[in-house]
């Protein structure tokens, strides 16, 4: 299956991303819908055997002959924590105490493992990040670092992956996407909720001004200066960059709004090669994680003495206009109807 070539980034700044961010990022991929044998990994792709779902894209069901590393391709404030927490309830999933390992994102970002910097082999990876506990065939190890799929890190992913002997495990990737204007607002609101810097004291109107300023910076073709509030929602750019050189079926792309559906979770489990629990058990897993999250958010807002940030209508309209061309390119790239 040839990759679609319809998306051409208009911002020359992305061409020099490898110079701006020489280190960073991690694991991802994707694939075609035809049967494809991969002898080096022992992976048998079984084509498009899953139920039709208009709110997920790419990915494939497969059988395992090797351990799996399940990795988040992103994105922050899109539901990566929710997916990680539900997956940890599956008996064949092993995870570090931390959801986000940042291990292959470069020395500056490696905060959850023993040694900074990319590993030279899988033994080092599992020793540093999982206490030496290696997944066996039929098991899945997790690293759900949401920054791996951002434009700041995607160009460094290939070089970090090549340091590993990938015949020892299969990498499967999950990208979860949220309506980008809502994602940007949530990212700014998280700063206030967590009392980061001077955000904890800002009013809604002041947060509007922060996000408006970041939007203006981004529209001046600047991918630095804190513009990640905006660029993290331009999903088509890093996905296109990745898919130009990687198979499509090892990447499953999901709609954040459908994470409470049993059918969505069946596809996630099959994408990772995991046995699919019963519908009742999946509902229990979803409801348990949702309730734990709800209680945790109540506690955080009480501690920070703040309320959820509600952006002004004028700002939401500006954000939606900014993201519209990126959204259109995303649907073309995925071959999917619009999700929002």
């Amino acid at each position: 299956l040839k990759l679609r070539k319809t998306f051409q980034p208009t911002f020359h700044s992305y061409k020099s991303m490898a110079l701006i961010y020489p280190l960073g990022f991690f694991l991802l991929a994707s694939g075609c819908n035809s049967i494809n044998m991969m002898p080096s990994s022992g992976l048998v792709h079984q084509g498009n055997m899953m139920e039709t779902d208009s709110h997920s894209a790419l990915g494939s069901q497969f059988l395992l002959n090797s351990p799996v590393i399940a990795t988040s391709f992103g994105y922050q404030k899109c539901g990566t924590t929710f997916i990680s927490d539900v997956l940890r309830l599956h008996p064949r999933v092993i995870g570090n105490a931390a959801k986000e390992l940042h291990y292959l994102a470069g020395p500056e970002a490696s905060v959850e493992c023993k040694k900074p910097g990319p590993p030279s082999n899988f033994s080092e990876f599992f020793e540093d990040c999982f206490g030496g506990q290696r997944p066996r065939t039929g098991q899945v190890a997790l690293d759900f670092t949401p920054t791996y799929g951002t434009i700041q890190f995607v160009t460094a992913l290939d070089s970090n992956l090549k340091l590993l002997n990938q015949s020892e495990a299969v990498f499967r990737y999950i990208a979860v996407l949220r309506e980008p204007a809502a994602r940007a607002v949530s990212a700014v609101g998280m700063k206030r909720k967590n009392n980061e810097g001077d955000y904890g004291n800002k009013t809604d109107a002041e947060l509007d001004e922060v996000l408006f300023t970041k939007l203006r910076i981004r529209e001046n073709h600047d991918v630095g200066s804190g513009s990640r509030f905006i660029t993290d929602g331009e999903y088509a750019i890093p996905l296109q960059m990745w898919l130009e050189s990687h198979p499509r079926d090892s990447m499953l792309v999901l709609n954040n709004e459908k994470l409470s559906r049993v059918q969505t979770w069946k596809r996630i489990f099959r994408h990772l090669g995991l046995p699919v629990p019963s519908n009742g058990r999946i509902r229990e897993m979803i409801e348990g994680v949702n309730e734990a999250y709800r209680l945790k958010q109540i506690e955080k807002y009480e501690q920070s003495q703040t309320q959820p940030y509600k952006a002004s209508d004028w700002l939401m309209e500006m954000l939606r206009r900014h993201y519209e061309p990126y959204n259109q390119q995303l649907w073309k790239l995925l071959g999917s109807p619009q999700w929002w």
Side-chain angles (χ1 to χ4, degrees):
L1 178 66
K2 289 187 177 180
L3 177 71
R4 297 170 185 260
K5 297 295 185 181
T6 55
F7 181 60
Q8 298 296 329
T10 59
F11 304 117
H12 296 292
S13 53
Y14 290 114
K15 301 296 185 181
S16 60
M17 189 61 64
L19 299 177
I20 299 172
Y21 296 91
L23 293 171
F25 195 79
F26 195 40
L27 327 160
L28 147 68
S30 196
C32 60
N33 285 330
S34 60
I35 296 175
N36 178 29
M37 296 291 294
M38 299 177 64
S40 63
S41 64
L43 176 63
V44 181
H45 294 284
Q46 295 184 327
N48 190 17
M49 296 180 64
M50 290 174 291
E51 297 87 344
T52 301
D53 183 352
S54 62
H55 294 278
S56 57
L58 310 182
S60 72
Q61 174 176 307
F62 70 98
L63 299 175
L64 285 178
N65 289 319
S66 298
V68 167
I69 312 298
T71 303
S72 167
F73 189 62
Y75 292 85
Q76 189 181 60
K77 305 309 297 175
C78 286
T80 58
T81 299
F82 179 77
I83 294 177
S84 175
D85 287 349
V86 173
L87 284 176
R88 286 168 183 265
L89 298 176
H90 196 287
R92 294 197 184 181
V93 171
I94 64 174
N96 187 285
K99 165 202 155 200
E100 303 174 18
L101 302 183
H102 298 271
Y103 198 56
L104 296 182
E108 302 89 348
S110 300
V111 295
E112 301 294 352
C113 298
K114 295 179 183 178
K115 183 176 72 64
S120 59
N121 54 60
F122 269 106
S123 295
E124 184 177 309
F125 175 59
F126 286 109
E127 178 62 31
D128 287 353
C129 291
F130 293 89
Q133 182 182 11
R134 298 172 62 92
R136 300 185 301 274
T137 298
Q139 289 185 321
V140 174
L142 298 181
D143 177 7
F144 261 62
T145 304
T147 57
Y148 289 157
T150 61
I151 60 174
Q152 285 86 349
F153 293 130
V154 68
T155 53
L157 179 58
D158 270 346
S159 60
N160 285 338
L161 279 174
K162 288 174 182 175
L163 295 174
L164 299 177
N165 177 2
Q166 294 189 57
S167 65
E168 294 187 37
V170 174
F171 288 92
R172 302 292 281 180
Y173 309 96
I174 295 175
V176 56
L177 312 182
R178 180 180 182 181
E179 193 282 314
R183 192 220 66 81
V185 169
S186 181
V188 173
M190 181 178 67
K191 296 284 189 181
R192 182 171 70 180
K193 177 182 65 179
N194 294 341
N195 274 317
E196 296 184 28
D198 62 349
Y199 283 91
N201 298 320
K202 291 187 182 297
T203 65
D204 279 7
E206 290 171 328
L207 291 181
D208 281 351
E209 186 62 29
V210 168
L211 201 47
F212 174 75
T213 300
K214 303 300 185 186
L215 180 59
R216 283 291 175 245
I217 291 172
R218 179 66 190 94
E219 290 182 343
N220 287 329
H221 306 275
D222 188 350
V223 296
S225 305
S227 64
R228 265 196 58 190
F229 282 133
I230 306 301
T231 59
D232 280 10
E234 297 167 359
Y235 307 124
I237 294 174
L239 282 170
Q240 172 76 23
M241 293 167 68
W242 181 261
L243 292 175
E244 284 180 345
S245 57
H246 293 271
R248 296 171 67 89
D249 63 352
S250 58
M251 165 70 77
L252 178 62
V253 184
L254 301 169
N255 183 354
N256 163 276
E257 293 183 358
K258 305 301 177 181
L259 290 181
S260 292
R261 292 177 50 178
V262 168
Q263 194 61 38
T264 299
W265 279 95
K266 287 183 175 181
R267 186 160 193 184
I268 292 172
F269 291 130
R270 289 167 180 159
H271 176 70
L272 298 179
L274 290 167
V276 178
S278 67
N279 288 358
R281 176 55 183 153
I282 292 175
R283 291 191 190 96
E284 289 177 358
M285 296 162 76
I286 293 170
E287 291 168 3
V289 171
N290 269 330
E291 179 63 10
Y293 177 81
R294 185 185 70 82
L295 295 176
K296 186 176 181 179
Q297 296 310 300
I298 291 174
E299 180 183 358
K300 284 188 174 183
Y301 281 114
E302 288 178 349
Q303 290 175 349
S304 65
Q305 297 182 335
T306 62
Q307 295 294 322
Y309 166 42
K310 186 179 186 304
S312 298
D313 291 342
W314 63 266
L315 179 59
M316 293 300 295
E317 180 60 27
M318 291 186 69
L319 288 168
R320 292 188 184 107
R321 285 203 303 267
H322 171 80
Y323 285 120
E324 181 57 26
Y326 298 99
N327 290 338
Q328 293 305 315
Q329 296 298 338
L330 177 65
W331 312 136
K332 291 179 182 178
L333 180 66
L334 299 179
S336 170
Q338 296 183 14
W339 292 352
W340 48 75

